[in-house]
Amino acid sequence: MHRESQAVWRAEFWAPVASFRDPLFPGVSRCLPLPPPSTVRGLLAAATGRPAESLAFGMAARAGGSGVDAETYHPIAADGRNPAVSGRVRPGKGGMTIRDRPFLTDVHLTLWLPGEDGDRIARALRRPRWPLRLGRSQDVVHPLTLSRITLRPADRAVVDHALAPSDAHRVPSATVHQLAASTSTDRLTTRWVDYLWCETSTGAQPVRGAHQDDTGQAVWLLEP
């Protein structure tokens, strides 16, 4: 991790609705409180049109609210039983079912993109190759601002909703979340990492291995 000052692009996004299903709870629709870094990498890859984006980046995320929706599932049996007709399967055991699907509203995402890769992605964000989404295909995300700033090493900064390594600070309100840092393009391999994240505002706090931007926000550049 680079600890010297460096120029980066700060990109801000907003989504009215998003849902990040926790894959560590199979069979249960549990919604994560923020997008995993692997999901954000998918967003950046959609902008550039590349299969994957592997740069280190900083991120902070928060949601204004949450809710629960009812979704209809049409699972298709591998052995051919209960086949789909016009995209639907019959109700019953192993067939069509309705499940609760938690979701977030008013989702704000800020990214800090360093280096030549950051320059390349910033250019792509002005004219994305593919639609930008967070999570499900219907969860469209809107780019808001894109600005060039300088990150400087910090021993004290505003932590708030920044995603941080598990040993980066000791804010009492922070919780540890095991999230997917990156996923292989064939989706067979996922790298899981423990991160610290705060749901509420924290103010300036002692930090380790961090930078801060021009607003005093703590930033950790997270490897894939």
Side-chain angles (χ1 to χ4, degrees), residues 14-67:
W14 175 76
V17 176
S19 179
F20 312 109
R21 185 177 177 275
D22 191 340
L24 296 179
F25 289 77
V28 178
S29 296
R30 181 178 184 270
C31 183
L32 294 167
L34 75 164
S38 61
T39 298
V40 174
R41 294 187 184 282
L43 167 69
L44 299 180
T48 62
R50 293 193 173 194
E53 290 293 348
S54 58
L55 80 162
F57 60 71
M59 66 172 281
R62 61 180 175 85
S66 62

Side-chain angles (χ1 to χ4, degrees), residues 126-165:
R126 293 188 174 96
R127 294 190 67 181
R129 180 70 179 275
W130 303 108
L132 302 182
R133 298 182 173 97
L134 270 179
R136 300 174 298 177
S137 59
Q138 66 263 42
D139 295 339
V140 177
V141 65
H142 304 271
L144 297 180
T145 64
L146 185 63
S147 54
R148 189 71 165 168
I149 65 164
T150 299
L151 293 181
R152 293 180 171 81
D155 296 318
R156 187 176 180 86
V158 177
V159 173
D160 282 8
H161 313 286
L163 197 63

